[in-house]
Amino acid sequence: MARYFFDIENGGQHRDDTGSECRDLDEVRAIAVRTLIGIAAEEAALHDRQTVVVSVRDAAGASLLDMTLTLATAWSNRDGA
């Protein structure tokens, strides 16, 4: 298995220095998706708009994948709550 590093940009840069061993590129993609969903679940209640990017590097440091999630809240009637 190869090691991949999942860097996160979420209002700042968070470099993955540990990495994760993955069987194949499908597993790399699945980890990137789970990472984005986890961050979105934590951040959704705090921000009306949030963009999170997961950038994946291989063990040699070459860029492999960039995945972006933008979460946007559009209030219809905020005073009606």
Side-chain angles (χ1 to χ4, degrees):
M1 286 200 288
R3 182 167 299 274
Y4 297 93
F5 299 85
F6 296 80
D7 301 327
I8 299 168
E9 182 180 335
N10 182 23
Q13 297 282 357
H14 307 283
R15 185 175 172 89
D16 177 5
D17 293 323
T18 305
S20 298
E21 289 193 359
C22 299
R23 291 182 308 273
D24 54 28
L25 295 180
D26 288 336
E27 186 174 9
V28 169
R29 186 182 198 296
I31 290 172
V33 168
R34 284 195 306 269
T35 301
L36 286 174
I37 290 170
I39 293 169
E42 293 176 8
E43 299 286 330
L46 303 174
H47 307 284
D48 283 344
R49 183 168 181 85
Q50 185 73 23
T51 299
V52 183
V53 179
V54 173
S55 298
V56 182
R57 297 176 281 118
D58 65 15
S63 180
L64 178 68
L65 170 73
D66 288 322
M67 187 175 287
T68 304
L69 176 68
T70 300
L71 187 65
T73 302
W75 293 96
S76 296
N77 183 4
R78 192 171 185 171
D79 294 331

